[in-house]
Amino acid sequence: MLKLWGRNNSLNVQKAMWCLEELKLPYQRIDAGMQYGVVNTPEFRKLNPNGLVPVIDDGGTILWESHAIVRYLAAKYGKGSLWAEDPAARAQSDKWMDWCATVYGPPMREVFWGLVRTPPEKRNLELIETSRQKAGEVLAILDAALADRDYIAGSALTIGDIPLGTISWRWFAMAMERPSLPNVEAWFKRLSQREAFKKSVLLPLS
Ligand SMILES: N[C@@H](CCC(=O)N[C@@H](CS)C(=O)NCC(=O)O)C(=O)O
């Protein structure tokens, strides 16, 4: 059975979990990272020299980097669903995966670590606030893109929605002010009705 290493409160592990659940692939998840340790053992470092989760072992194919994992799983098991066969169509999803990692992710990381993983007396409130504002600004771009479609690359869920949807749970679940983004809200509501999303992403923040 496919193995996935990583704690289930990790954003990047949740992307792999959600993808596996959408594809209905049986898998064994092994807790690793933060309080579980494991990532600094020599055995784990052989799997991922970076000492980070997620990592998968799919019948001997060892892979790290969450977006590479999502792409691999979708290409192998989700042709015609999560994985568009047409390169031009697939590039639309790919583009949003990269945008999520480079534009939406960095300010969200500051907000999440500040509000969820830092005790109140140690928080850098200025950084949290400027990052929250920045995330709201870049989300206006996503909002505009979702104006004429149900999912980021069209009428069905694809790999492009996976990183965006996973991180957006944090955006909606954190106790903070949010600008009105009707298309992002409607898309997120759509994602939230999916069993795979509920099971792998809609978990308490920690
Ligand atoms: N770019 C990598 C980042 C991986 C990463 O930073 N993983 C974090 C969890 S989200 C981690 O392993 N942190 C150390 C730990 O949990 O001990 C990916 O997308 O997989």
Side-chain angles (χ1 to χ4, degrees):
M1 191 190 299
L2 189 149
K3 282 187 184 170
L4 166 66
W5 283 264
R7 53 191 168 80
N8 71 356
N9 65 342
S10 144
L11 177 75
N12 292 311
V13 174
Q14 288 178 359
K15 294 172 195 171
M17 288 164 58
W18 182 17
C19 189
L20 287 161
E21 295 288 343
E22 288 288 348
L23 295 168
K24 299 196 176 1
L25 289 171
Y27 67 99
Q28 180 199 359
R29 190 179 59 77
I30 301 137
D31 276 322
M34 278 171 87
Q35 72 270 33
Y36 300 101
V38 179
V39 293
N40 291 320
T41 60
E43 295 77 25
F44 187 87
R45 290 286 171 139
K46 272 189 210 149
L47 299 173
N48 183 359
N50 301 287
L52 297 172
V53 290
V55 177
I56 61 163
D57 178 350
D58 180 25
T61 298
I62 313 289
L63 200 56
W64 39 267
E65 280 298 332
S66 59
H67 292 192
I69 291 171
V70 168
R71 289 183 178 108
Y72 163 78
L73 292 173
K76 187 161 179 194
Y77 303 106
K79 284 208 175 80
S81 62
L82 290 182
W83 184 259
E85 302 236 44
D86 171 32
R90 195 169 64 244
Q92 296 304 320
S93 299
D94 247 344
K95 171 184 79 180
W96 285 104
M97 294 177 84
D98 287 3
W99 182 86
C100 189
T102 57
V103 179
Y104 183 20
M108 279 298 289
R109 187 177 195 282
E110 299 299 350
V111 182
F112 177 78
W113 272 85
L115 292 180
V116 178
R117 294 203 177 141
T118 306
E121 68 281 5
K122 293 197 174 150
R123 287 179 190 162
N124 179 341
L125 296 179
E126 204 182 315
L127 178 64
I128 294 170
E129 178 52 18
T130 52
S131 302
R132 182 195 69 78
Q133 279 181 23
K134 180 70 188 164
E137 276 166 35
V138 302
L139 272 174
I141 298 169
L142 181 62
D143 200 63
L146 286 166
D148 63 350
R149 57 197 57 199
D150 283 352
Y151 296 93
I152 197 57
S155 57
L157 185 90
T158 65
I159 51 171
D161 296 283
I162 290 184
L164 291 174
T166 308
I167 198 167
S168 292
W169 166 232
R170 295 182 167 187
W171 169 256
F172 286 110
M174 285 188 287
M176 63 182 189
E177 210 184 307
R178 278 174 288 276
S180 163
L181 297 160
N183 303 319
V184 173
E185 285 156 28
W187 161 81
F188 189 77
K189 207 168 167 187
R190 225 167 274 129
L191 299 183
S192 302
Q193 284 156 4
R194 304 180 76 90
E195 287 311 312
F197 190 71
K198 287 184 203 168
K199 203 169 159 187
S200 49
V201 181
L202 297 185
L203 306 172
L205 299 187
S206 66

